[in-house]
Amino acid sequence: MSFATWTALRYLKSSRESRFFSWITFLSLFGLAIGVAALIVVLSVINGFEYELRNRFLQANAHIMAYRYPAGMSNPEKWSKIIEKDFADEVRGTSPFIHYETMAKSGAIMQGVLVRGIAPKQREAVQSMRSLIQPQEAMDQIQQEIDDADAGKPEPETPGIIVGSGLLGILNVKVGETIHLIAPTENRFSDMKRFKVVGTYNSGLKHYDNRLVAMSLTAAKSFFHMGEVVTGLEIGLHDADRSPKVARLMEEKYNLSFREWQSYNRPLFEAMERERTVIALIVAMVVIVAGFNILTTVFVSVSQKQRDISILKALGARNRQIMGLFLVQSLCIGIGGSIVGAILAGGISYVLEHYPFIDLPEPYFLKSLPVHYSAQVYLGVAGAASIVCLLAGLYPAYVASRVVPTEGIAGTGQAL
């Protein structure tokens, strides 16, 4: 242990003469801990919102969508094989889909809906939807319709559909009941067909849950008279974050249009990024205030230790060693406060995660505050707080290094 470190630790310990200073040190350390904890908890909650949103968007959407608008994709099997072969290292799976906007009718209630025709077995290789479906057997029932059609069996008179949880309430129906969907045609009158609700879809995202109706790909083709044409392909990647780069490569290679999942939700994520920056800067002011408290603490220490500084200089201590002594002292306070703050933040985050006592209002899609633990956040905030404390101790340390021994022994030492 170096001279500066050993002496700085001795100065931080309580003694009969420095008990008042020790209380100031403790309060400064605790103030810093509160600032560190507040900043970590805020960032953890914001990251939790982004993490939950990301997961829910990824469950609701494929990583990349390939389509040919407005004609549609007439040979999806061929395109699936080509894409999976050319991008074997990137692509996890592909699945054809149909998207169509129409109207749903239940009694006297009419509501605009987005119909999604899916192939559940192929969709699982792209992105699993099962955690969003209740009961999960509804997906098996939808897949069974596709298997029966492949086996040459006739289409059921009342095909099954999965309805968004919000839409279910709007239409005032329950699982097991039936609703009618309207298929727009070129004729004067539109077709209307009855479907049975076999399950609910609940992503926690209102713009999906209030509009989405999922049915088997074969039922969607038949209902919208699409023949063998589909809207496009859903593409799942091994790494969802590489979607923009892979989509650009695909667009250069194929005569198709591609859209990655980030582009659907870019305004929302950009808004969250701006909010994170603004809130972090506001809460970081607490850490900066704590840094000023530590500056004051080190100044008090310099004032109290003038006689000791003079004796150390008389024994041969150099200005650099004196300056290092008080820098170590401020750094120790910073590291101690950061560790206590990180532990406090972990405890608060644990309580928020396992004992959700804060209920979020209706506009939010979550019922309670989400928390996402990140070593980068904990280490980053703790490191930044320690640096702030080190910088806060620079000037008092410089003042200490300039004390003249003869004046310091008399208690009148000042910086030159």
Side-chain angles (χ1 to χ4, degrees):
M1 186 182 293
S2 68
F3 162 77
T5 304
W6 182 82
T7 309
L9 293 176
R10 286 291 302 268
Y11 281 175
L12 289 173
K13 291 182 180 179
S14 176
S15 65
R16 185 174 300 176
E17 294 80 9
S18 62
R19 196 160 293 167
F20 175 70
F21 169 71
S22 297
W23 271 109
I24 295 177
T25 303
F26 171 78
L27 292 175
S28 298
L29 187 148
F30 191 67
L32 177 67
I34 292 174
V36 168
L39 186 54
I40 290 175
V41 170
V42 167
L43 291 176
S44 297
V45 169
I46 295 175
N47 288 343
F49 269 108
E50 186 173 350
Y51 182 78
E52 287 291 332
L53 271 175
R54 184 180 185 276
N55 285 348
R56 294 182 187 226
F57 277 129
L58 284 175
Q59 286 180 313
N61 297 287
H63 300 156
I64 299 175
M65 286 189 177
Y67 55 93
R68 179 175 283 153
Y69 185 84
M73 190 178 289
S74 58
N75 199 342
E77 293 81 9
K78 182 192 77 172
W79 283 110
S80 292
K81 292 177 182 178
I82 292 173
I83 292 173
E84 289 179 6
K85 180 182 178 182
D86 292 345
F87 292 87
D89 295 337
E90 299 281 0
V91 175
R92 187 173 62 191
T94 60
S95 176
F97 71 93
I98 291 176
H99 277 190
Y100 214 106
E101 291 194 36
T102 184
M103 300 290 291
K105 183 176 183 299
S106 174
I109 303 173
M110 295 279 288
Q111 178 69 20
V113 297
L114 174 63
V115 176
R116 177 181 291 179
I118 60 172
K121 190 180 294 184
Q122 292 175 268
R123 187 62 169 73
E124 281 294 306
V126 174
Q127 187 75 23
S128 178
M129 293 175 58
R130 288 190 174 271
S131 61
L132 308 179
I133 308 298
Q134 292 295 332
Q136 293 190 2
E137 293 76 17
M139 293 288 281
D140 299 327
Q141 188 170 337
I142 297 295
Q143 180 61 44
Q144 188 61 48
E145 293 182 11
I146 297 175
D147 296 340
D148 290 344
D150 292 340
K153 295 182 181 179
E155 180 186 344
E157 184 178 345
T158 308
I161 57 171
I162 298 170
V163 180
S165 56
L167 181 59
L168 210 65
I170 293 171
L171 296 175
N172 195 25
V173 294
K174 299 177 182 177
V175 175
E177 298 180 351
T178 60
I179 63 173
H180 289 84
L181 294 180
I182 300 170
T185 66
E186 295 179 359
N187 302 325
R188 181 178 178 183
F189 299 101
S190 298
D191 294 334
M192 184 180 292
K193 188 170 183 177
R194 192 161 59 114
F195 291 85
K196 182 180 179 180
V197 180
V198 297
T200 62
Y201 174 91
N202 185 9
S203 66
L205 305 171
K206 288 188 176 182
H207 57 286
Y208 289 116
D209 297 341
N210 289 353
R211 295 193 64 212
L212 187 66
V213 172
M215 64 176 67
S216 69
L217 193 67
T218 53
K221 287 179 180 179
S222 172
F223 182 55
F224 295 112
H225 308 291
M226 298 185 70
E228 293 304 313
V229 176
V230 298
T231 304
L233 287 176
E234 293 181 302
I235 303 171
L237 304 181
H238 296 293
D239 184 0
D241 294 327
R242 285 182 54 81
S243 297
K245 183 176 181 180
V246 176
R248 284 195 301 270
L249 293 174
M250 290 181 175
E251 202 154 38
E252 294 171 0
K253 192 176 183 66
Y254 308 123
N255 185 27
L256 295 172
S257 297
F258 294 88
R259 191 171 182 185
E260 71 279 4
W261 68 274
Q262 290 97 328
S263 64
Y264 288 98
N265 316 294
R266 185 171 288 118
L268 178 59
F269 283 107
E270 288 178 351
M272 290 193 68
E273 186 65 32
R274 288 193 296 269
E275 287 179 6
R276 178 197 287 110
T277 303
V278 172
I279 293 174
L281 287 174
I282 293 172
V283 180
M285 295 300 293
V286 180
V287 177
I288 295 173
V289 170
F292 277 102
N293 288 338
I294 290 167
L295 184 148
T296 304
T297 301
V298 179
F299 258 127
V300 171
S301 177
V302 171
S303 176
Q304 286 190 340
K305 303 298 182 183
Q306 284 190 40
R307 189 183 302 273
D308 293 355
I309 294 170
S310 299
I311 293 173
L312 289 173
K313 282 195 170 186
L315 293 174
R318 296 189 296 271
N319 286 350
R320 187 179 65 182
Q321 291 178 306
I322 299 298
M323 190 171 180
L325 187 158
F326 289 97
L327 285 178
V328 169
Q329 185 175 337
S330 61
L331 184 61
C332 288
I333 297 173
I335 293 174
S338 298
I339 292 173
V340 174
I343 295 171
L344 185 61
I348 295 172
S349 299
Y350 180 86
V351 171
L352 289 174
E353 184 181 21
H354 293 87
Y355 306 97
F357 57 91
I358 300 177
D359 295 327
L360 297 179
E362 183 64 25
Y364 295 93
F365 64 90
L366 296 175
K367 293 182 179 178
S368 58
L369 289 175
V371 177
H372 179 63
Y373 298 95
S374 171
Q376 184 177 359
V377 169
Y378 278 73
L379 294 175
V381 172
S386 299
I387 291 172
V388 167
C389 294
L390 183 62
L391 295 175
L394 275 175
Y395 184 67
Y398 173 76
V399 171
S401 70
R402 307 301 293 173
V403 170
V404 178
T406 54
E407 295 179 356
I409 292 175
T412 62
Q414 295 177 2
L416 297 178

